[in-house]
Amino acid sequence: MTEISPPFPYVGERLGNESKNHVKLKGLVVYWLLSQGFKIDDIEDEHHVSSDRASGNTDIYASTDGIEVFVECETNSGGTSLSNGGKIPFKKGKDVYVFTSDGIYRPVKRTYELEKQNRVLEQTDEETITRTRIELQRESDLPKPDLSAFKR
């Protein structure tokens, strides 16, 4: 029988669907949010977000005094991306962060100009076409919890 983890914020591998690295990142997010002034009751695990077109879950959500923070945890070493749980609040102007094994990222909109290099672009009258996409910009290293109180 698989044992369910204790209640949040003591996040565990619920029924084996979260890797230990993912759980570790979620724990660092909780520590980071607490250090930013949020209270434990302000923080929610696996928060559902939706829009007219899509829905998803963000790994950690915190809200207090009108401030909302959405945090994704990305363990994929092949790069970082943003799920619907992060894209939806980002497009609404909310604070979104992505925690990875190598740091904290924030989504930003980047605009690119594409030249007529393929048949689809050749069908337009414009010399260039602009496209906007969401990219992640590195903000800082991961927080380092102070565990000195636990030393003997």
Side-chain angles (χ1 to χ4, degrees):
M1 181 174 148
T2 305
E3 197 171 301
I4 298 176
S5 70
F8 182 79
Y10 305 100
V11 191
E13 294 181 68
R14 284 186 295 275
L15 305 175
N17 64 352
E18 290 185 293
S19 71
K20 289 181 181 181
N21 287 340
H22 194 253
V23 172
K24 179 181 173 184
L25 284 173
K26 288 172 90 170
L28 285 174
V29 171
V30 172
Y31 173 81
W32 178 74
L33 288 168
L34 292 172
S35 71
Q36 301 297 312
F38 288 92
K39 305 279 188 257
I40 201 66
D41 292 339
D42 301 333
I43 303 170
E44 186 179 320
D45 184 25
E46 296 296 327
H47 179 76
H48 182 75
V49 294
S50 62
S51 71
D52 293 340
R53 295 181 172 183
S55 67
N57 289 337
T58 190
D59 289 316
I60 304 289
Y61 167 78
S63 174
T64 187
D65 298 328
I67 298 169
E68 292 181 291
V69 176
F70 299 80
V71 184
E72 294 285 296
C73 296
E74 181 65 55
T75 58
N76 182 358
S77 61
T80 54
S81 62
L82 201 57
S83 73
N84 279 343
K87 284 179 187 174
I88 294 167
F90 174 71
K91 288 177 180 179
K92 292 179 179 181
K94 306 291 183 179
D95 287 330
V96 177
Y97 295 88
V98 179
F99 275 55
T100 71
S101 59
D102 69 336
I104 302 172
Y105 292 78
R106 290 195 75 174
V108 293
K109 286 185 182 179
R110 298 264 195 238
T111 302
Y112 294 90
E113 287 188 1
L114 305 171
E115 294 180 15
K116 291 184 179 183
Q117 295 178 0
N118 63 41
R119 282 184 262 159
V120 174
L121 293 178
E122 289 173 359
Q123 294 173 6
T124 69
D125 292 333
E126 302 294 323
E127 287 299 314
T128 59
I129 294 178
T130 57
R131 296 283 187 250
T132 303
R133 69 179 190 192
I134 298 172
E135 291 184 356
L136 297 178
Q137 177 177 307
R138 185 175 164 76
E139 290 286 310
S140 69
D141 291 334
L142 289 173
K144 303 234 186 278
D146 179 10
L147 302 176
S148 60
F150 298 103
K151 291 183 180 177
R152 292 183 184 217

